[in-house]
């Protein structure tokens, strides 16, 4: 009636756990309900200076909590103890902690409650965040500098309509951006000299000053075409010392200004102090110079850029709304070699997944966020995508959450390219799948646990066909899983019922109550008959019901009972050495004899139990009352034995689940003599059942969350598609009007043509997305009409370019759906096959067929099965042809909504046939 003594493996596992706590890098502190420290590991000593012997047994508030926080800590603990509702328990909290030397250490504290031997304990995990905070402050300073650079670029852009004003604003903004700078100048090349064209701060009075290119730091930046700095111009051999002394420039930082590919001058910041600038300032000045040079380069066409910027701002606003409101984590990542992989922008969902703020993530790259083992693989994949023109990949990666734990994410990576194919940035889409993977791992662990249970566990369907059994069943019955699978259990094992009952009664009980329990006799592969205690329950999830059958071999126990009646000596031998717990109980409750297994269940010695009444010590009141009633039934002769699942208290205070079979022994006159108890520890089985139920509930909850998330995704995509359509229609309309007024061979005409082409592309994507959402949500309404196939083709072809052969036919089809199908098929032929070569109309008694032919490269064989799948694109075309992979998916969906279909056939002469099937209209 208790758990066996701890095994060597369990002792080893406890020792490993102790070593992990002792050697782990995270501080671990435990307190009891009174707030006294009970555990203090070496990591906590390294963090706060206190040795365990100095703090164990002392109040936590006097050791770790600063004085001003103690009242709040005490009140919070009291509130949790009285209400059970946590405020900060289970969540990381940053706060100062007291060091032994009296100083304060910034730590991250996470508290977890636990019950130990009936008492509440609290465990606190401590992590030093001083370096992290310092790093965050450094990163914040860099971010502030970068934001200042962006603001400077914006300010100069506003002044770009006036070149002279723009130059002056460049110098003024440079002083503003760099706190260490007291002067700044724009020096433009005039032959072999650099002329101070504009200045600010201490350099404002030197406008017009000339400096030779050779023998100066500014000239070196021009010649080397890269930014540089000088920490002390008085000793730097590259510097023009006389000029620097005249300008009071003790240290300086210089970056070249470009006009296209040509260096036109430099942007310089100076300071009267030595070593005023570092490498970060060099990089920042280079970024500022790049942006400012671009502003100067475009000063002559300011009006055109303003219009473009307004259009870009509207586009960015739409993108920002989509980006920020996406339920999936989104991030834009840099492809610049200098900051390759750094996150440029992240949405709120990404911060929720990782635990980092947006400011923190934009100072990080995938190398900082991903598990160290995944980072090199990701970098290799990204560079291959950029170099080889691969647009998208999908994989699962491990991220390091801000709280230190590892999470699994489903990552989709897409490279965004310019019109020339050059990579601009990378879009990263992340979905947290940690819970899903954990659920899968728990299911595998449960399966492994069932495999290791010594009892025979069988999974069968309701008619008895074996689907699976564990190694315990294979050992008991002598048949392997492969041999037993698919066989009727009752026929394979020759099932007979040891007591009352029948197969029909068992099946009726399973159908009515969902469970059955009793003793069975089975025949093994060697011909041996075994008696088992069988417990069977019906389990049903998404599919048909199954029966989980747990059979415990009680052959030895039954033999022992029979041997007791025949030979006391043989019974004693079996009794003493039985692996099952057994006891002989007098009618007054006194234990006459117990075996070692029984004593081990209670954590006692046999000699400590014999002669004593221990039921009140080890059994719960409810179990004692139930046992009392069952024993009365034994006395009355209602049955010879009963089996009861109860909990008993071990000597160490814990409760142990057992299954106890109690039999009544009578004397020669039939009067009750004593009771025989046979007990089996069922703790492992009960734990497995609880774990199984918890896993099933978790999976159900996850499925519901995924369904909700998918519905939200479709709603958002549909909403965005409709919101984008209206401003996009305006762009297309105005660009068409402007195109009519501007010759196509002028710069403005070409710009309008580019805007119109990209707007048309975006309009196609929006229409495809709206169509996809309608398809996925089942909102397609196909109101079919009588349509002439040739007439509908004339509406789409807009000219005689593609020949149409065959007699005209009338079909039943939704006009808009047919137009969209024809446009998509013709567009598909233009993009991938050089255009359609012929359209053929023919029909039979059942269907009308419209076949679109081309002489292109055809569809790759390995891609044919996925040709009409959503978002599917062949690797051969993904690098050279732009597209969403939705066109053919929408074509087939619309066709099927109209009781038609679309399929592909290879053209024997080379190329492809895309064939649309439709119902004939029939006679009117």
């Amino acid at each position: 009636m208790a758990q066996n003594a701890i095994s060597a493996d369990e002792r080893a596992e406890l020792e490993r756990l102790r070593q992990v706590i002792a050697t782990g890098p995270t501080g671990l502190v435990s307190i009891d309900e009174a707030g006294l420290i009970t555990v203090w590991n070496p990591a906590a000593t390294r963090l706060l200076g206190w040795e365990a012997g100095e703090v164990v047994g002392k109040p936590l508030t006097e050791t770790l909590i600063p004085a001003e926080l103690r009242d709040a800590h005490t009140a919070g603990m009291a509130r949790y103890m009285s209400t059970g509702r946590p405020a900060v328990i289970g969540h990381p909290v940053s706060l100062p902690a007291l060091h032994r030397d009296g100083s304060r250490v910034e730590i991250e504290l996470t508290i977890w409650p636990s019950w130990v031997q009936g008492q509440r304990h609290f465990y606190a995990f401590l992590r030093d965040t001083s370096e992290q905070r310092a790093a965050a402050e450094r990163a914040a300073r860099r971010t502030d500098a970068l934001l200042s650079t962006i603001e400077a670029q914006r300010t100069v852009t506003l002044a770009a309509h006036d070149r002279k004003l723009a130059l002056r604003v460049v110098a003024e903004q440079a002083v503003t951006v760099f706190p260490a700078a007291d002067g700044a100048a724009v020096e433009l090349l005039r032959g072999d000299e650099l002329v101070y064209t504009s200045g600010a701060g201490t350099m404002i009075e030197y406008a017009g000053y000339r400096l030779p290119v050779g023998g100066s730091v500014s000239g070196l930046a021009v010649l080397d075409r890269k930014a540089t700095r000088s920490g002390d111009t008085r000793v730097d051999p590259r510097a023009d010392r006389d000029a620097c002394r005249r300008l009071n420039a003790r240290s300086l930082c210089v970056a070249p200004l470009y006009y296209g590919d040509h260096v036109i001058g430099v942007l310089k910041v100076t300071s009267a102090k030595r070593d005023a600038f570092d490498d970060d300032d060099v990089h920042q000045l280079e970024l500022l110079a790049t942006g400012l040079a671009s502003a100067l380069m475009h000063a002559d066409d300011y009006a055109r850029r303003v219009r473009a910027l307004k259009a870009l701002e509207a586009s960015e606003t739409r993108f920002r709304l989509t980006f920020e409101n996406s339920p999936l984590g989104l991030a834009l990542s840099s492809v610049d070699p200098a900051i390759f992989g750094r996150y440029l922008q992240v949405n709120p969902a990404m911060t929720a997944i990782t635990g980092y703020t947006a400011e923190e993530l934009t100072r990080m790259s995938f190398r900082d966020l991903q598990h160290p083992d995944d980072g090199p693989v990701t970098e290799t994949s990204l560079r291959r995508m950029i170099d080889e023109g691969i647009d998208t990949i999908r994989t699962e990666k491990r991220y390091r959450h801000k709280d230190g734990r590892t999470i699994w994410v489903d990552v989709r990576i897409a490279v965004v390219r310019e019109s020339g194919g050059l990579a601009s940035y990378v879009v990263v889409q992340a979905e947290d799948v940690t819970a899903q993977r954990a659920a899968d791992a728990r299911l595998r662990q449960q399966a492994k646990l069932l495999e290791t249970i010594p009892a025979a566990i069988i999974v069968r369907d309701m008619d008895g066909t074996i689907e699976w059994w564990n190694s315990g069943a294979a050992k008991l019955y002598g048949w392997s899983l492969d041999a037993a699978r698919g066989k009727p259990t009752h026929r394979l094992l020759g099932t007979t019922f040891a007591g009352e009952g029948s197969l029909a009664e068992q099946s009726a009980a399973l159908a009515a109550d969902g469970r059955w329990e009793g003793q069975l006799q089975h025949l093994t592969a060697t011909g041996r008959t075994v008696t088992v205690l069988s417990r069977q329950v019906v389990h049903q999830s998404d599919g048909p019901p199954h029966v989980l059958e747990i059979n415990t071999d009680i052959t030895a126990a039954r033999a022992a009972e029979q041997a007791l009646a025949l030979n006391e000596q043989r019974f004693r031998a079996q009794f003493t050495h039985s692996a099952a717990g057994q006891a002989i109980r007098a009618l007054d409750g006194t234990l006459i004899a117990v075996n070692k297994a029984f004593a081990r269940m209670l954590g006692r010695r046999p000699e400590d139990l014999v002669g004593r009444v221990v039921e009140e010590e080890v059994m719960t009141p409810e179990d004692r009352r139930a046992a009392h009633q069952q024993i009365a039934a034994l006395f009355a002769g209602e049955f010879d034995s009963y089996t009861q699942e109860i909990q008993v208290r071990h000597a160490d205070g814990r409760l142990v689940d057992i299954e106890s079979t109690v039999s009544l022994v009578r004397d020669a006159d039939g009067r009750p003599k004593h009771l025989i108890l046979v007990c089996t520890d069922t703790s492992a089985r009960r734990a497995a059942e609880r774990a199984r139920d918890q896993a099933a509930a978790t999976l159900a909850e996850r499925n519901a969350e995924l369904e909700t998330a998918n519905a939200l995704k479709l709603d958002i995509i549909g909403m965005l598609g409709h919101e984008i359509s209206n401003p996009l229609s305006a762009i297309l309309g105005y660009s068409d009007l402007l195109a009519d007024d501007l010759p196509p061979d002028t710069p403005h005409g070409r710009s309008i043509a580019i805007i119109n082409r990209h707007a048309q592309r975006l309009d196609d994507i929006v229409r495809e997305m709206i169509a996809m959402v309608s398809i996925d949500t089942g909102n397609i309404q196909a109101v079919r009409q009588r349509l002439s196939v040739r007439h509908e083709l004339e509406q789409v072809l807009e000219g005689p370019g593609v020949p149409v052969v065959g007699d005209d036919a009338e079909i039943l089809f939704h006009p808009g759906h047919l137009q969209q199908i024809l446009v998509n098929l013709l567009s598909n032929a233009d993009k991938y096959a050089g255009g359609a070569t012929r359209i053929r109309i023919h029909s039979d008694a059942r269907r009308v067929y419209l076949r679109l032919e081309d002489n292109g490269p055809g569809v790759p064989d390995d891609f044919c099965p996925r040709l009409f799948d959503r978002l599917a694109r062949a690797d051969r075309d993904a690098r050279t042809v732009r597209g969403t992979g939705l066109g053919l998916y929408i074509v087939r969906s619309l066709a099927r909504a109209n009781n038609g279909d679309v399929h592909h056939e290879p053209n024997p002469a080379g190329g492809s046939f895309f064939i649309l099937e439709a119902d004939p209209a029939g006679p009117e």
Side-chain angles (χ1 to χ4, degrees):
M1 296 194 305
Q3 184 175 343
N4 295 337
I6 187 169
S7 66
D9 289 342
E10 291 171 329
R11 287 196 296 272
E13 184 62 25
L14 290 175
E15 176 60 19
R16 284 193 291 269
L17 180 60
R18 185 192 66 77
Q19 291 180 9
V20 167
I21 294 174
T23 61
T26 302
L28 175 64
V29 178
S30 173
I31 62 174
D32 58 16
E33 292 182 349
L36 301 180
I37 297 173
T38 59
V39 174
W40 183 278
N41 75 340
T45 299
R46 292 192 297 273
L47 179 60
L48 299 175
W50 299 96
E51 294 293 336
E54 297 176 301
V55 296
V56 171
K58 293 184 178 181
L60 178 69
T61 53
E62 299 177 7
T63 306
L64 182 64
I65 308 299
E68 68 272 19
L69 301 178
R70 290 173 183 171
D71 291 340
H73 169 77
T74 302
M77 291 294 292
R79 182 171 57 255
Y80 176 76
M81 296 296 290
S82 62
T83 66
R85 293 193 296 270
V88 299
I89 289 178
H91 305 285
V93 178
S94 296
L95 76 167
L98 292 178
H99 194 274
R100 188 177 186 276
D101 60 9
S103 63
R104 297 192 176 199
V105 178
E106 290 293 332
I107 66 170
E108 185 182 80
L109 175 70
T110 306
I111 302 175
W112 293 96
S114 176
W115 284 90
V116 177
Q117 295 184 353
Q119 295 184 349
R120 193 187 302 273
H121 285 249
F122 297 88
Y123 294 90
F125 297 90
L126 316 177
R127 186 165 66 87
D128 187 356
T129 60
S130 302
E131 292 185 2
Q132 178 181 341
R133 290 170 64 88
E137 292 174 358
R138 290 194 300 270
R141 289 196 297 272
R142 294 176 181 174
T143 300
D144 291 339
L146 181 59
L147 292 175
S148 300
T149 300
I150 296 173
E151 179 62 23
Q153 293 174 344
R154 189 187 68 82
T155 304
V156 173
T157 300
L158 293 176
H161 61 283
D162 186 333
R163 184 177 180 83
K164 183 176 180 180
L165 174 61
L167 289 171
R168 177 171 59 81
V169 172
V170 166
E172 292 172 350
Q173 290 299 314
V175 176
T176 302
V177 168
F178 297 90
D182 51 27
V186 176
E187 306 170 14
L188 299 182
L189 276 172
R190 297 288 187 272
D192 295 332
E193 293 182 321
L194 286 165
V195 180
Y196 280 51
T197 306
S198 181
T202 58
M203 304 294 289
I204 194 171
E205 60 186 278
Y206 294 101
Y209 185 84
R210 295 178 178 269
L211 185 69
V213 172
S216 67
V217 177
S218 297
L220 184 63
V222 172
L223 297 175
D224 291 347
R225 301 172 66 89
K226 65 179 182 180
T228 186
R229 65 184 176 93
S230 175
D232 191 345
T233 57
R234 297 179 185 178
V235 298
D236 191 342
R238 304 173 301 164
D240 186 334
R241 298 179 185 177
D242 292 337
C244 291
R245 186 180 297 109
R246 188 178 300 109
L247 300 175
N248 195 25
R250 182 68 181 273
S251 61
L252 51 87
C253 187
V254 186
L257 291 171
Y258 287 89
Y259 193 98
D261 293 334
H262 303 287
V263 177
I264 62 172
V266 297
L267 175 62
K268 175 193 291 182
V269 291
T270 66
S271 174
K273 298 180 181 179
R274 184 165 58 90
D275 295 322
F277 308 103
D278 57 18
D279 292 337
D280 287 343
D281 294 325
V282 174
H283 180 62
Q284 183 181 347
L285 183 64
E286 193 171 34
L287 293 176
L288 180 61
T290 301
L292 300 184
S294 176
L296 295 176
M297 184 175 65
H298 296 292
D300 55 350
D301 58 350
Y302 169 80
R304 181 178 63 82
R305 288 192 302 105
V306 167
R307 289 194 299 271
L309 287 173
K310 287 182 178 179
L312 178 61
E313 182 179 0
S315 175
E316 288 179 344
T317 299
R318 292 191 295 270
F319 171 77
R320 177 177 55 80
L321 292 174
T322 304
F323 185 83
E324 292 179 353
N325 292 285
S326 173
L328 300 176
L330 294 176
L332 305 184
S333 181
S334 174
V335 297
D336 186 340
I339 55 171
F340 186 78
R342 180 181 296 176
Y343 297 120
L344 305 175
Q345 187 177 355
V346 298
N347 72 342
M350 194 68 169
T351 65
I353 290 173
T354 63
Y356 293 97
T357 64
E359 292 76 14
E360 291 171 329
L361 285 173
T362 52
R363 297 191 294 270
M364 301 167 63
S365 73
F366 66 86
R367 304 177 192 87
D368 305 310
L369 191 58
Q370 291 187 7
H371 190 279
D373 294 342
D374 292 347
V377 177
T378 298
E379 181 158 359
T380 300
S381 299
L382 281 175
R383 295 192 184 278
R384 180 169 172 264
M385 291 177 68
I386 293 170
D387 296 340
E388 300 182 11
I390 301 172
D391 286 339
T392 60
I393 61 173
R394 178 176 179 177
T395 183
E396 285 192 356
K397 294 292 183 183
R398 291 169 290 180
Y399 279 6
R400 294 180 296 186
H401 195 275
K402 184 177 181 180
D403 61 14
R405 59 189 169 91
T406 297
I407 60 175
W408 282 90
V409 292
D410 181 23
V411 180
R412 298 171 180 82
I413 302 174
V415 177
V416 178
R417 303 181 188 276
E418 299 175 357
S419 57
L422 185 65
S424 298
Y425 55 89
V426 173
V427 178
V428 180
Q429 176 180 301
E431 180 181 4
D432 188 350
V433 295
T434 306
Q436 177 181 342
R437 288 180 64 93
D440 293 341
R442 285 195 296 272
L443 289 176
R444 289 192 296 271
Q445 183 179 8
Q446 290 170 3
K448 184 178 180 181
L449 179 61
L450 291 176
E451 185 62 36
T452 58
I453 292 176
I457 300 179
I458 304 173
V459 179
R460 62 177 179 84
D461 60 22
M462 294 297 290
D463 66 4
T465 302
I466 297 171
E467 297 183 355
W468 180 87
W469 70 16
N470 69 342
S471 58
K475 183 178 179 181
L476 176 62
Y477 298 121
W479 300 108
S480 67
L481 173 59
D482 291 337
R485 183 183 282 119
K487 307 294 189 303
T489 179
H490 304 304
R491 289 184 175 273
L492 178 66
L493 304 179
T495 303
T496 59
F497 288 76
E500 296 181 356
S502 65
L503 182 58
E505 292 175 351
Q506 180 192 81
S507 300
L510 289 173
D513 305 328
R515 61 188 303 113
W516 179 86
E517 182 174 325
Q519 294 184 8
L520 303 173
Q521 287 187 333
H522 285 152
L523 189 66
T524 70
T526 61
R528 185 171 64 95
T529 298
V530 295
T531 303
V532 298
L533 177 61
S534 182
R535 300 176 181 85
Q536 302 179 16
V537 294
V538 177
H539 172 71
Q540 184 172 12
S541 55
D542 296 333
H546 296 80
V547 177
L548 176 64
E549 182 175 335
I550 303 176
N551 296 337
T552 304
D553 185 4
I554 59 171
T555 306
R558 284 178 59 85
E561 293 174 2
Q562 295 169 359
L564 178 63
L566 299 175
N567 190 307
E568 182 66 21
Q569 183 177 2
R570 290 174 58 192
F571 169 76
R572 285 297 178 185
Q574 184 277 337
F575 179 86
T576 302
H577 302 292
S578 173
Q582 298 187 29
I584 303 175
R585 174 191 179 276
L587 299 182
D588 63 356
T590 303
L591 294 177
I592 301 172
V594 299
N595 68 352
K596 293 181 179 179
F598 184 89
R600 283 196 300 270
M601 288 184 184
L602 299 179
R604 317 283 181 92
R605 297 182 303 171
E607 54 267 29
D608 295 335
L609 296 173
V610 174
R612 296 183 55 200
V613 178
V614 297
E615 292 178 353
E616 291 189 0
E617 299 179 33
V618 301
M619 294 178 64
T620 64
E622 294 80 3
D623 289 341
R624 288 203 307 274
R625 285 193 294 270
H628 187 69
Q629 295 173 1
Q630 296 280 29
I631 291 172
L634 289 177
F635 274 47
E638 295 178 7
F639 41 78
D640 295 330
S641 65
Y642 70 88
T643 300
Q644 180 180 18
E645 290 190 358
I646 63 174
Q647 287 186 318
V648 297
R649 190 169 301 281
H650 194 272
D652 61 11
R654 58 192 171 87
L655 292 175
V656 180
D657 293 312
I658 70 166
E659 182 180 82
S660 175
T661 299
V662 181
S663 303
L664 178 64
V665 178
R666 299 178 182 272
D667 60 18
D669 297 328
R671 298 172 59 83
K673 184 178 180 182
H674 52 253
L675 299 172
I676 301 294
L677 286 72
V678 179
C679 305
T680 304
D681 187 346
T682 60
S683 299
R685 174 175 62 79
R686 295 295 298 275
E689 291 172 352
R690 288 191 291 269
R692 178 202 62 207
D693 295 341
Q694 182 179 3
T698 302
L699 284 174
E701 181 180 356
R702 179 59 177 163
N703 285 336
E705 292 174 355
L706 289 174
E707 291 176 359
T708 301
N710 184 61
L712 178 61
K713 175 198 72 177
L714 295 176
D715 291 344
I716 291 177
I717 292 175
M719 178 271 290
L720 291 177
H722 289 292
E723 291 296 321
I724 291 173
S725 296
N726 291 334
L728 188 57
S729 298
I731 293 173
L732 287 170
Y734 283 112
S735 65
D736 289 336
L737 292 175
L738 290 174
D740 294 337
D741 297 335
L742 297 173
D745 57 349
T746 64
H748 288 173
R750 286 192 293 271
S751 298
I752 291 302
I754 292 172
I755 292 173
N756 187 268
R757 184 169 64 255
H758 286 285
Q760 289 285 357
R761 171 63 182 151
L762 184 57
D763 187 52
D764 291 342
I765 293 174
V766 169
R767 292 178 183 274
E768 288 182 344
M769 295 302 291
I770 292 175
M772 182 194 70
V773 171
S774 299
I775 291 167
D776 287 350
T777 56
N779 290 332
I780 296 181
Q781 295 182 358
V783 181
R784 300 194 297 173
Q785 303 176 16
R786 298 178 65 94
L787 301 176
S788 165
V789 175
R790 280 189 171 271
H791 175 74
E792 297 301 319
L793 283 171
E794 291 172 359
Q795 302 300 314
V796 175
L797 292 176
E798 298 180 352
V802 181
V804 180
V805 299
D807 295 333
D808 189 16
E810 289 190 337
I811 60 175
L812 292 177
F813 223 99
H814 186 286
H817 292 174
L818 182 58
Q819 289 289 314
Q820 186 168 0
I821 290 172
L822 295 175
V823 168
N824 280 10
L825 289 177
L826 289 168
S827 174
N828 203 58
D830 289 337
K831 288 192 290 184
Y832 296 97
T837 58
R838 183 168 59 178
I839 300 176
R840 178 180 296 275
I841 305 171
H842 68 282
S843 60
D844 56 25
R846 190 179 61 89
R847 301 285 255 183
V848 175
Y849 303 90
L850 179 66
R851 186 174 75 187
L852 187 145
E853 305 175 5
D854 66 64
N855 294 330
V859 179
D861 292 339
D862 61 343
F863 184 64
C864 283
R866 300 183 289 117
L867 181 60
F868 292 90
D869 289 351
R870 181 173 57 179
L871 302 177
R873 303 191 68 209
D875 293 339
R876 182 194 67 192
D877 303 317
R879 305 176 185 175
T880 57
V881 181
R882 292 195 172 192
T884 61
L886 290 173
L888 292 180
Y889 168 75
I890 293 172
V891 163
R892 172 168 282 182
S893 299
L894 292 176
R896 290 179 174 176
N898 286 270
N899 199 33
D901 206 348
V902 174
H903 68 275
H904 163 266
E905 295 178 2
N907 188 341
S912 297
F913 293 156
F914 283 88
I915 301 169
L916 170 65
E917 303 177 17
D919 288 336
E924 295 187 10

